[in-house]
Every structure is written in structure tokens, then in C-alpha cells.
Amino acid sequence: MRYVFPPAPVVSLPVVGSNDRFPVHRIYCVGRNYAEHAKEMGFSGREPPFFFMKPADAIVAVNAGETGHWPYPGLTANLHHEIELVVAIGKGGYRIPAADAPQHIYGYAVGLDMTRRDLQNDMKKQGRPWCVAKGFDASAPIGPITTAAQAGAVEQAAIWLQVNGVDRQRSTVAQLIWSIAETIEQLSTAWTLQPGDLIYTGTPEGVGAVMPGDTLAGGVQGLTPLRLRVV
């Protein structure tokens, strides 16, 4: 087969303790999935889960022990961090029952859903999609994947983010409004999940702005931390 130009390389992530890499298919994100974050965004209650997407090539993979260099994007004066537990799907499926969801999980990683908040707010006011605020280039920094067997009790794990050494976000995954299994159940009714899909499961309260020169360090207990410098 001949292409009219060379195809882009497969986007992939390192796997802890392995030379294999995890090829990324799609990136799904869950909106307002921690109650306190929902409140700080002006909402409350256990609303039905909703989803948005980022392109696979929005990934910025940061290796263990490294500080990634993350480019501050254009078109914004209010760029926000959102630390998240990311679920990596290893076995696809449609209408997956919550009880079967663990069988479809390959592993977990620490990710950031970077958000051009001013653009998002403008899009909300105009009733328009958020793509320009959520799916821009490099909007999905992420660390290495830890397999489910190695990750431990992720559902109860602490999750946090510091900016320049100062706490911004700190909670536990147990505070998710929709659990990991429930999220997979709901998401797989709208799309047929595929091996290589990533699910950014939501962010706790404490989101805020970052500027060039800031260093972000975040983690989920039991997983490889993520560290970035905004440039």
C-alpha cells in the first residue's frame, strides 16, 4: 500500500516494568465527576455522567523520573490544570456491565486534562462545543501506565497535584461520583470501547491557573507520578 504522504507514527505510552508500549486509540474524558469540583464549577448533585474527547495526538508522554516540558498554548489567558486518574482499556466491548468492567482494564496512569478555561466559559455561554478549550495540541499530558495487577487498590487511592511545591488539588479516587466500573458501563453504551482507549476519569476540586515557568507535580497513590514544567 502507498500513501500520499508518510502516516503519523502510532501514539503510545510506556508501561512500567516492560519494554512494551501501549498504543493509544482514543481519549475519553468524564466531566464533573467529583462532587466538590462540580460545586466549584457551579453545579451539584449526582448528574448523569457526560463525556468529551481529546485527539490521540494530544498526548504528551512523560517518562518515569523525568520532568516533561509542556508548551503554554495560544488563545488563552486562563489555562487550568486538572489532575486525573487515567484508565487504560486493554479489552474492548459494547454495553459492558459494571461488574465485568475490571476485565477490560489493562492498567492506570496519572494524567492532566489541561483546559483553556476562558475559552471553555465562552463556549458555554454561546452554547457551542468545548473542543477548542479541551482538545488542543498537547492538552493531555500523561505518565507511564502501571498494569492493573501492579496498581493495587486504585479505587481508594489518594490523588493530588502541586504547583511549584504548593498543594492545589488533594482528594481520593473514592470521591468519584461515578466509579471506574460505572463509568466504563456508561461510556460503553455510547461507544464501543477498543483496546488502546484511555479514560480520563475526572478531576477533584482545586483547579486553577498555571503560567509559563510553573512546575506541576501530581500523582495517584500506587502509580508513577507525573511532573511537568510549563514553558
Side-chain angles (χ1 to χ4, degrees), residues 130-205:
W130 299 352
C131 301
V132 70
K134 289 285 193 177
F136 56 93
D137 293 345
S139 60
I142 187 171
I145 293 175
T146 299
T147 63
Q150 296 174 306
V154 169
E155 295 84 356
Q156 305 297 321
I159 180 170
W160 69 91
L161 179 81
Q162 294 184 331
V163 178
N164 301 326
V166 178
D167 271 15
R168 287 279 188 90
Q169 296 182 265
R170 190 166 292 272
S171 187
T172 68
V173 177
Q175 297 301 310
L176 283 171
I177 295 173
W178 294 91
S179 71
I180 295 166
E182 290 172 328
T183 294
I184 290 173
E185 180 179 66
Q186 294 282 341
L187 184 61
S188 67
T189 65
W191 291 273
T192 299
L193 294 182
Q194 301 289 340
D197 287 342
L198 299 176
I199 305 171
Y200 278 61
T201 57
T203 195
E205 69 275 14

Side-chain angles (χ1 to χ4, degrees), residues 70-72 163-164 210-216 227-231:
W70 191 82
Y72 193 96
V163 178
N164 301 326
V210 295
M211 298 294 294
D214 286 344
T215 297
L216 285 64
R227 185 177 172 88
L228 292 175
R229 183 170 177 81
V230 183
V231 296

Side-chain angles (χ1 to χ4, degrees), residues 54 81-84 86 110-114 139-142 161 169 200 216 226 228:
K54 294 174 182 276
H81 57 76
E82 297 190 9
I83 192 71
E84 310 213 1
V86 182
V110 180
L112 280 163
D113 167 18
M114 302 302 290
S139 60
I142 187 171
L161 179 81
Q169 296 182 265
Y200 278 61
L216 285 64
L226 175 62
L228 292 175

Side-chain angles (χ1 to χ4, degrees), residues 26-174:
R26 291 177 177 171
I27 302 172
Y28 299 99
C29 304
V30 188
R32 298 197 295 265
N33 203 21
Y34 284 80
E36 293 304 315
H37 173 60
K39 290 177 184 177
E40 73 181 354
M41 300 302 291
F43 299 86
S44 62
R46 195 177 194 249
E47 62 184 322
F50 69 93
F51 307 97
F52 58 93
M53 298 177 72
K54 294 174 182 276
D57 63 3
I59 286 288
V60 177
V62 180
N63 294 322
E66 295 183 359
T67 300
H69 288 80
W70 191 82
Y72 193 96
L75 298 180
T76 185
N78 192 21
L79 178 74
H80 279 207
H81 57 76
E82 297 190 9
I83 192 71
E84 310 213 1
L85 168 69
V86 182
V87 177
I89 297 297
K91 176 185 173 184
Y94 179 62
R95 295 187 179 275
I96 300 167
D100 296 341
Q103 303 171 27
H104 294 259
I105 298 173
Y106 175 80
Y108 304 93
V110 180
L112 280 163
D113 167 18
M114 302 302 290
T115 302
R116 295 194 277 205
R117 190 72 71 200
D118 42 3
L119 297 187
Q120 184 188 34
N121 290 339
D122 286 346
M123 295 302 103
K124 286 179 180 179
K125 291 175 184 177
Q126 298 177 58
R128 295 178 177 177
W130 299 352
C131 301
V132 70
K134 289 285 193 177
F136 56 93
D137 293 345
S139 60
I142 187 171
I145 293 175
T146 299
T147 63
Q150 296 174 306
V154 169
E155 295 84 356
Q156 305 297 321
I159 180 170
W160 69 91
L161 179 81
Q162 294 184 331
V163 178
N164 301 326
V166 178
D167 271 15
R168 287 279 188 90
Q169 296 182 265
R170 190 166 292 272
S171 187
T172 68
V173 177

